[in-house]
């Protein structure tokens, strides 16, 4: 299990290339990118990707039509993205559009995954997080 944490501001270049920050970077040359919640992108290392899809597969019965639809929509959004010799990764156009990414991005460690946000979307989503930290923290139930 990976434990990815932290928040990093970056920019996508004119060729849609991004860099995963060194503190979130593993040894793999590529990562699995998918649509995420709240217009962010989820990024997984291979072990996390396989573990996630196995958990989802075990939870959803073949006869559960709504569950199967959710699985299909999520699974088909995954794209394997390989890094170049400099460690840059080209963000797939469909995922870039989904996440409303133009240039400025925020890359966050989210425990078992990395999240990539358009800076504007990130800032709006988290605008009251510090002010409401205690009530948000209670949702973790730890």
């Amino acid at each position: 299990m990976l434990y990815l944490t932290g928040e990093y501001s970056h920019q996508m270049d004119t060729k849609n290339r991004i860099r995963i920050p060194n503190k979130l970077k593993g040894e793999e040359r590529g990562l699995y990118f998918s649509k995420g919640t709240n217009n962010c992108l989820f990024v997984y290392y291979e072990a996390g990707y396989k573990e996630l899809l196995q958990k989802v597969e075990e939870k959803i019965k073949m006869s559960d039509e709504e569950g199967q639809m959710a699985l299909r929509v999520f699974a088909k959004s995954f794209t394997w993205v390989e890094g170049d010799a400099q460690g840059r990764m080209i963000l797939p156009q469909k995922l870039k559009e989904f996440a409303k990414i133009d240039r400025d991005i925020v890359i966050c460690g989210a425990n078992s995954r990395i999240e990539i946000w358009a800076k504007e979307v990130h800032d709006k989503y988290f605008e009251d997080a510090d002010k409401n930290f205690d009530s948000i923290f209670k949702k973790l139930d730890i």
Side-chain angles (χ1 to χ4, degrees), residues 8-14 16-19 101-107 119:
Y8 308 89
S9 295
H10 282 270
Q11 291 182 333
M12 182 177 62
D13 71 16
T14 56
N16 294 347
R17 296 178 301 196
I18 63 168
R19 287 184 193 275
I101 293 173
D102 184 29
R103 180 175 163 89
D104 294 325
I105 59 175
V106 179
I107 301 174
K119 181 175 179 358

Side-chain angles (χ1 to χ4, degrees), residues 106-125:
V106 179
I107 301 174
C108 304
N111 201 27
S112 64
R113 68 176 177 263
I114 298 166
E115 293 182 348
I116 300 175
W117 296 76
K119 181 175 179 358
E120 301 80 24
V121 174
H122 173 272
D123 292 351
K124 183 169 176 49
Y125 182 81

Side-chain angles (χ1 to χ4, degrees), residues 22-34:
N22 286 336
K23 293 191 178 187
L24 299 176
K25 195 184 271 186
E27 299 298 317
E28 298 176 41
R29 279 197 44 98
L31 299 169
Y32 290 91
F33 285 62
S34 75

Side-chain angles (χ1 to χ4, degrees), residues 28-134:
E28 298 176 41
R29 279 197 44 98
L31 299 169
Y32 290 91
F33 285 62
S34 75
K35 291 179 180 179
T37 55
N38 306 106
N39 288 100
C40 78
L41 300 178
F42 290 165
V43 181
Y44 291 92
Y45 288 95
E46 186 169 3
Y49 162 77
K50 288 179 177 179
E51 184 178 322
L52 170 70
L53 290 183
Q54 181 179 353
K55 282 181 187 176
V56 172
E57 187 91 23
E58 290 169 0
K59 280 184 118 174
I60 299 172
K61 295 180 181 180
M62 293 291 286
S63 60
D64 178 355
E65 290 183 30
E66 289 180 0
Q68 288 295 319
M69 177 61 145
L71 171 60
R72 290 176 181 128
V73 168
F74 183 48
K76 77 181 193 119
S77 78
F78 274 94
T79 302
W80 167 256
V81 179
E82 192 166 349
D84 66 13
Q86 287 78 40
R88 299 171 299 196
M89 300 180 142
I90 297 175
L91 193 59
Q93 187 65 31
K94 284 184 180 181
L95 294 178
K96 178 184 167 217
E97 290 169 6
F98 170 82
K100 302 176 183 175
I101 293 173
D102 184 29
R103 180 175 163 89
D104 294 325
I105 59 175
V106 179
I107 301 174
C108 304
N111 201 27
S112 64
R113 68 176 177 263
I114 298 166
E115 293 182 348
I116 300 175
W117 296 76
K119 181 175 179 358
E120 301 80 24
V121 174
H122 173 272
D123 292 351
K124 183 169 176 49
Y125 182 81
F126 289 103
E127 68 186 340
D128 293 328
D130 286 342
K131 184 170 60 174
N132 299 321
F133 181 81
D134 288 344

